[in-house]
Amino acid sequence: MTTPAAFALSELNKGELIWFDPGVGHALPGEVLEYHKPAQVLTVQAVIAGKPQIFSLTSANGLKRRQDLGQNGIDDMIQLTDLNEASLLWNLKIRYEKELIYTYTGSILVAVNPYKMYDMYGLDMVKKYEGQILGTLPPHLFAIGSAAYSGLSKCNQAVVISGESGSGKTESTKLVMQYLAAVNKSPSNLITEQILEASPLLESFGNAKTVRNDNSSRFGKYLEVYFKEYVFRCISIFFFFFSFIH
């Protein structure tokens, strides 16, 4: 069903950013080049697969003005004024191409799997995020770990890690555990280290090779991590995957 036009083609000026569907079945981000008044045709440019393409539109049906997300996108998608599926995905794409794989949606962290390891999980990053309020620093998995650990002073905490096959759930779980091991104030991190070292063993029984991932989890996980300094309180880590039916 075509969305009724909210404005006329003639109302759009050169350089304006829009969403439009040239007949591909989904919205594309475009930029207005010109409006040809005698022919009543709007010329729009969109970049597809890295190459600029020109489209001529004769109807404003389905057109929407879109927000300028800048070169690095927006790091918390709650701040998007142009809120729709296309703008969410476009923001994630912009950030991913800048190797910014983490994006907030409030207290939720969206991670796009780069299928390679970045040098951003060392002790320097642990110290940077330790004790910081969620949202005060750029999006990062350690920010979620920090929020959970800090919250233990009030009550039990839970971290839910979910996504489709190959989205990086297994690695994200390991990294959260790595953060908790690093900030643990106990004189001995033996138990936490044993949990970290047990992960490959558990994966060998339950993981499998798929078309998307050589080490894909075929099962859910549930971990409870207790800390001596917080008696009877723990961080529960729920890990599960979902699949799409095509």
Side-chain angles (χ1 to χ4, degrees):
M1 184 176 179
T2 304
T3 304
F7 44 79
L9 291 179
S10 57
E11 295 178 40
L12 294 169
N13 300 313
K14 180 180 179 179
E16 280 200 67
L17 303 178
I18 62 170
W19 293 109
F20 74 106
D21 181 0
V24 297
H26 58 84
L28 294 177
E31 180 180 346
V32 175
L33 295 182
E34 65 173 342
Y35 173 69
H36 193 260
K37 189 173 182 180
Q40 296 185 341
V41 172
L42 185 74
T43 305
V44 177
Q45 177 179 276
V47 178
I48 301 175
K51 297 181 180 179
Q53 295 189 26
I54 306 299
F55 298 88
S56 296
L57 308 179
T58 58
S59 170
N61 287 339
L63 293 188
K64 294 180 181 178
R65 288 184 170 90
R66 68 181 175 93
Q67 182 180 355
D68 185 358
L69 302 179
Q71 293 186 343
N72 295 324
I74 293 176
D75 64 7
D76 188 344
M77 293 194 288
I78 281 183
Q79 299 173 4
L80 287 173
T81 56
D82 175 23
L83 191 58
N84 56 68
E85 182 181 2
S87 63
L88 294 176
L89 294 175
W90 182 243
N91 187 60
L92 292 175
K93 182 177 185 295
I94 290 173
R95 292 180 60 75
Y96 179 80
E97 290 177 345
K98 295 291 186 179
E99 298 190 345
L100 300 170
I101 61 173
Y102 295 123
T103 306
Y104 288 129
T105 303
S107 60
I108 299 171
L109 184 71
V110 180
V112 182
N113 193 347
Y115 290 97
K116 61 181 179 179
M117 185 60 75
Y118 289 142
D119 183 20
M120 54 190 290
Y121 305 104
L123 286 176
D124 57 329
M125 294 300 286
V126 170
K127 293 178 180 177
K128 179 178 179 179
Y129 281 86
E130 184 176 3
Q132 298 299 314
I133 297 173
L134 188 67
T136 57
L137 292 175
H140 196 287
L141 199 57
F142 286 175
I144 299 297
S146 175
Y149 187 78
S150 298
L152 282 175
S153 61
K154 299 178 181 178
C155 60
N156 290 340
Q157 299 293 305
V159 177
V160 178
I161 300 174
S162 67
E164 64 174 328
S165 177
S167 59
K169 301 179 298 299
T170 298
E171 289 301 319
S172 294
T173 302
K174 291 178 185 177
L175 289 167
V176 170
M177 292 296 297
Q178 176 184 312
Y179 176 86
L180 296 177
V183 298
N184 184 10
K185 305 305 181 185
S186 172
S188 173
N189 283 336
L190 178 61
I191 301 300
T192 311
E193 288 173 3
Q194 287 176 340
I195 295 173
L196 289 172
E197 292 170 357
S199 291
L201 179 62
L202 294 173
E203 291 167 17
S204 68
F205 285 102
N207 286 21
K209 184 175 182 178
T210 66
V211 293
R212 295 188 178 186
N213 187 2
D214 288 342
N215 190 37
S216 181
S217 299
R218 301 289 90 196
F219 59 96
K221 296 178 186 175
Y222 176 74
L223 302 171
E224 285 188 352
V225 184
Y226 289 84
F227 299 89
K228 286 185 177 180
E229 62 267 37
Y230 298 109
V231 182
F232 302 120
R233 290 181 182 171
C234 72
I235 296 176
S236 301
I237 301 176
F238 300 85
F239 168 107
F240 61 93
F241 70 93
F242 58 80
S243 60
F244 294 101
I245 299 176
H246 297 282

